Amino acid sequence: QIDRSSYASSRRESNSTVLKEIISANGKFTAIRAIFDKLFKTICENVKLHRFPYEDLKKFVKKYSDGYLPQISDCVTSNDVLELVYDKCTFMDINYLEAVVREFKVKRAVVLVQCFNTNIEELCQYVPVRNVLGEYFILSRSNQPLRTDLVIKMIIDQNPNHVTLQFIKDAISSSFGSLAKSVQLVNIKEIDDMLLVTCFFPNCLSASLLVPESAIELMQRRGLVELTIDGSVYWKKEKDHIIIQR
């Protein structure tokens, strides 16, 4: 059981410390990113100190992923499972790690996770996409997809000066619905005055299930011009006419 008063005090202290560091970064995303990289590393270090019952941890993560984490069957230790959890974390979304921390009451990490989320939520509200073009969002692994990843690329007709990171976060959430927690933002680039958004998703769904017609409609409202899945154009439009839809 976590004492509420001490939790609230620790949370305020952690948020204050991180906020001061963000202000000191003076809006430079590379410096801000370094702050959250450090915080994420600290969370992981605290999580590793917790003694997890292997079978319970594996069962929980498998259930939380809704079956979209097939490589979990290869895990033979709690650390193996945790490494998969870390790999699912991005600069804007550590939902897998947060779920584990809350489910198994990892006291050392609860406040840190809340601090991470609170500050990221605030950051997403005001950081323009222009400031993060080309930045890499996945926190723990190299920029290479896992062998089980689908690479999703969306070209969105939005000016990077006029939308914030919150727009990207909302676009992923609303477009992929319940699957969004397993969609990882990789990076955002500019192409012909539009946004090229690259994401990873576990390679265990057909494109039609991953991106149903209702999702395409939502994406169109946000300016979707082209959707590519694993190198093949799945949906594309020219002016107001759809020219490809598989």
Side-chain angles (χ1 to χ4, degrees), residues 6-73:
S6 62
Y7 168 78
S9 176
S10 297
R11 179 179 169 183
R12 285 194 298 270
E13 184 178 340
S14 297
N15 281 339
S16 176
T17 300
V18 173
L19 185 58
K20 287 177 181 176
E21 291 177 341
I22 291 173
I23 292 171
S24 298
N26 198 28
K28 296 178 181 178
F29 186 79
T30 302
I32 292 172
R33 166 63 191 257
I35 294 166
F36 285 96
D37 279 339
K38 179 182 176 182
L39 182 54
F40 177 73
K41 183 178 179 181
T42 302
I43 295 170
C44 294
E45 288 172 349
N46 279 275
V47 168
K48 285 181 178 179
L49 294 175
H50 190 81
R51 297 184 67 179
F52 291 95
Y54 163 66
E55 291 294 343
D56 291 347
L57 177 63
K58 185 175 181 179
K59 182 178 179 181
F60 172 77
V61 174
K62 184 176 182 179
K63 182 178 179 181
Y64 183 79
S65 73
D66 298 322
Y68 302 134
L69 201 60
Q71 60 268 47
I72 198 168
S73 60

Side-chain angles (χ1 to χ4, degrees), residues 15 28 52-53 84 92 146 165 172 182 205 208 214 225:
N15 281 339
K28 296 178 181 178
F52 291 95
L84 281 183
M92 292 202 301
L146 298 176
L165 274 175
I172 292 173
S182 294
L205 277 184
S208 60
S214 58
V225 173

Side-chain angles (χ1 to χ4, degrees), residues 1-237:
Q1 189 72 23
I2 298 172
D3 180 76
R4 290 190 177 185
S5 60
S6 62
Y7 168 78
S9 176
S10 297
R11 179 179 169 183
R12 285 194 298 270
E13 184 178 340
S14 297
N15 281 339
S16 176
T17 300
V18 173
L19 185 58
K20 287 177 181 176
E21 291 177 341
I22 291 173
I23 292 171
S24 298
N26 198 28
K28 296 178 181 178
F29 186 79
T30 302
I32 292 172
R33 166 63 191 257
I35 294 166
F36 285 96
D37 279 339
K38 179 182 176 182
L39 182 54
F40 177 73
K41 183 178 179 181
T42 302
I43 295 170
C44 294
E45 288 172 349
N46 279 275
V47 168
K48 285 181 178 179
L49 294 175
H50 190 81
R51 297 184 67 179
F52 291 95
Y54 163 66
E55 291 294 343
D56 291 347
L57 177 63
K58 185 175 181 179
K59 182 178 179 181
F60 172 77
V61 174
K62 184 176 182 179
K63 182 178 179 181
Y64 183 79
S65 73
D66 298 322
Y68 302 134
L69 201 60
Q71 60 268 47
I72 198 168
S73 60
D74 298 328
C75 295
V76 294
T77 68
S78 294
N79 282 338
D80 292 340
V81 178
L82 289 175
E83 287 299 324
L84 281 183
V85 169
Y86 302 149
D87 269 349
K88 296 303 294 181
C89 294
T90 72
F91 177 75
M92 292 202 301
D93 195 342
I94 59 170
N95 67 82
Y96 269 76
L97 185 54
E98 179 182 11
V100 167
V101 166
R102 293 191 180 281
E103 175 68 17
F104 293 92
K105 298 179 175 60
V106 186
K107 295 180 181 180
R108 298 182 184 91
V110 170
V111 172
L112 294 171
V113 166
Q114 184 61 51
C115 174
F116 189 104
N117 286 336
T118 299
N119 284 285
I120 283 296
E121 285 172 9
E122 293 180 5
L123 205 64
C124 286
Q125 296 290 337
Y126 72 81
V127 173
V129 169
R130 168 68 66 190
N131 289 15
V132 301
L133 292 176
E135 294 288 345
Y136 188 62
F137 284 85
I138 290 181
L139 284 166
S140 68
R141 58 166 141 148
S142 70
N143 59 3
Q144 296 300 313
L146 298 176
R147 59 183 173 81
T148 51
D149 281 333
L150 283 173
V151 180
I152 305 167
K153 294 190 176 184
M154 298 176 283
I155 297 178
I156 302 174
D157 188 7
Q158 292 285 351
N159 188 311
N161 294 315
H162 299 159
V163 292
T164 65
L165 274 175
Q166 190 62 46
F167 171 86
I168 302 297
K169 194 172 183 178
D170 290 344
I172 292 173
S173 177
S174 62
S175 299
F176 296 100
S178 62
L179 301 178
K181 66 184 178 185
S182 294
V183 175
Q184 295 177 282
L185 175 63
V186 179
N187 60 31
I188 309 167
K189 297 180 180 179
E190 186 175 17
I191 177 171
D192 298 330
D193 296 321
M194 293 184 284
L195 303 178
L196 173 61
V197 180
T198 300
C199 301
F200 289 156
F201 187 86
N203 188 6
C204 51
L205 277 184
S206 66
S208 60
L209 290 176
L210 174 60
V211 191
E213 190 172 333
S214 58
I216 291 290
E217 292 173 1
L218 286 170
M219 291 177 176
Q220 284 186 77
R221 294 174 196 166
R222 294 181 180 275
L224 182 69
V225 173
E226 181 177 303
L227 174 66
T228 301
I229 300 177
D230 247 18
S232 298
V233 176
Y234 178 75
W235 186 94
K236 185 176 182 178
K237 79 171 186 177

